[in-house]
C-alpha cells in the first residue's frame, strides 16, 4: 500500500511558484510538479498532474476579435487578446484559469517573444494568476491568420 505524502514523494512535488517545496493536489485541482533537482521553471510548470475530472481540449486561439480581425500590432497585445480568447473558450466549457493543465504557444518570432517575456509574464499574471500549466513555446513560420503573431492552444481539467 502506497502512503501519500512520504518523504520520497514530497521531493517531486511543488506548489505554484514554489520550486521545491512539497504540496499535494489542492482540493482536486491540477497539481504543479517542479522537481527541485531541475532548473527552476520561470513562467511555466515542468509537469501538471491532472486531478480526476473532465479533460477539455482548447483549440488554438489568436488575437481575432468578434468580426474576425486580428487585434494588436505587437506580440504583447496579440498575446493578451489570444489568451483572453482562450480563457473565454475555457470558461464556456466550465473551466477556470487555474484549471489549465497544458498550453502550447506558437510564435512566428520566438526571439521577439523572448524579448517581451517580462511583459508577457505580466499579462499572464493579470489574466490567469501565478499558477502555470505545463507549457511550450514553438516557433512557426506562419499561422492560419496571416497577420497573427501568436496562437495559444491548451488542455484544461474541469472538476
Amino acid at each position: 500500500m502506497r502512503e501519500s505524502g512520504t518523504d520520497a514523494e514530497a521531493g517531486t512535488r511543488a506548489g505554484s511558484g514554489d520550486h521545491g517545496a512539497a504540496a499535494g493536489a489542492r482540493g482536486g485541482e491540477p497539481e504543479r510538479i517542479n522537481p527541485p533537482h531541475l532548473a527552476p521553471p520561470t513562467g511555466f510548470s515542468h509537469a501538471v498532474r491532472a486531478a480526476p475530472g473532465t479533460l477539455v481540449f482548447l483549440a488554438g486561439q489568436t488575437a481575432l476579435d468578434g468580426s474576425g480581425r486580428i487585434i494588436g500590432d505587437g506580440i504583447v497585445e496579440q498575446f493578451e487578446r489570444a489568451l483572453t480568447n482562450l480563457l473565454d473558450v475555457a470558461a464556456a466549457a466550465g473551466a477556470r484559469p487555474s484549471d489549465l493543465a497544458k498550453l502550447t504557444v506558437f510564435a512566428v518570432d520566438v526571439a521577439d517573444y523572448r524579448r517581451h517575456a517580462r511583459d508577457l509574464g505580466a499579462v499572464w499574471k493579470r489574466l490567469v494568476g501565478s499558477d502555470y500549466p505545463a507549457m511550450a513555446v514553438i516557433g512557426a513560420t506562419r499561422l492560419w491568420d496571416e497577420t497573427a503573431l501568436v496562437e495559444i492552444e491548451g488542455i484544461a481539467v474541469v472538476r
Side-chain angles (χ1 to χ4, degrees):
M1 182 170 178
R2 185 169 180 247
E3 285 185 57
S4 180
T6 64
D7 288 341
E9 186 180 37
T12 64
R13 292 189 263 150
S16 62
D18 196 357
H19 304 300
R26 302 163 303 216
E29 291 183 19
E31 178 184 5
R32 275 71 180 168
I33 301 170
N34 297 301
H37 66 281
L38 295 180
T42 302
F44 71 99
S45 291
H46 285 290
V48 175
R49 180 181 300 143
T54 300
L55 291 177
V56 176
F57 298 90
L58 303 165
Q61 300 295 316
T62 60
L64 286 176
D65 68 5
S67 66
R69 288 184 300 235
I70 295 291
I71 301 298
D73 294 325
I75 188 77
V76 177
E77 297 86 7
Q78 286 199 21
F79 178 85
E80 181 169 355
R81 181 58 187 236
L83 182 57
T84 298
N85 289 347
L86 185 89
L87 293 171
D88 287 349
V89 171
R96 299 174 304 195
S98 62
D99 295 330
L100 294 172
K102 171 76 173 104
L103 289 183
T104 303
V105 177
F106 299 93
V108 296
D109 186 344
V110 175
D112 188 42
Y113 187 94
R114 288 187 66 158
R115 275 192 299 278
H116 292 91
R118 182 163 282 164
D119 295 326
L120 296 168
V123 168
W124 178 270
K125 286 182 181 177
R126 183 168 38 82
L127 296 178
V128 179
S130 60
D131 282 335
Y132 296 103
M135 197 154 100
V137 176
I138 298 174
T141 304
R142 69 172 286 272
L143 300 170
W144 183 262
D145 300 301
E146 291 183 24
T147 57
L149 302 174
V150 65
E151 184 170 333
I152 307 168
E153 70 174 15
I155 300 171
V157 179
V158 180
R159 295 173 295 286

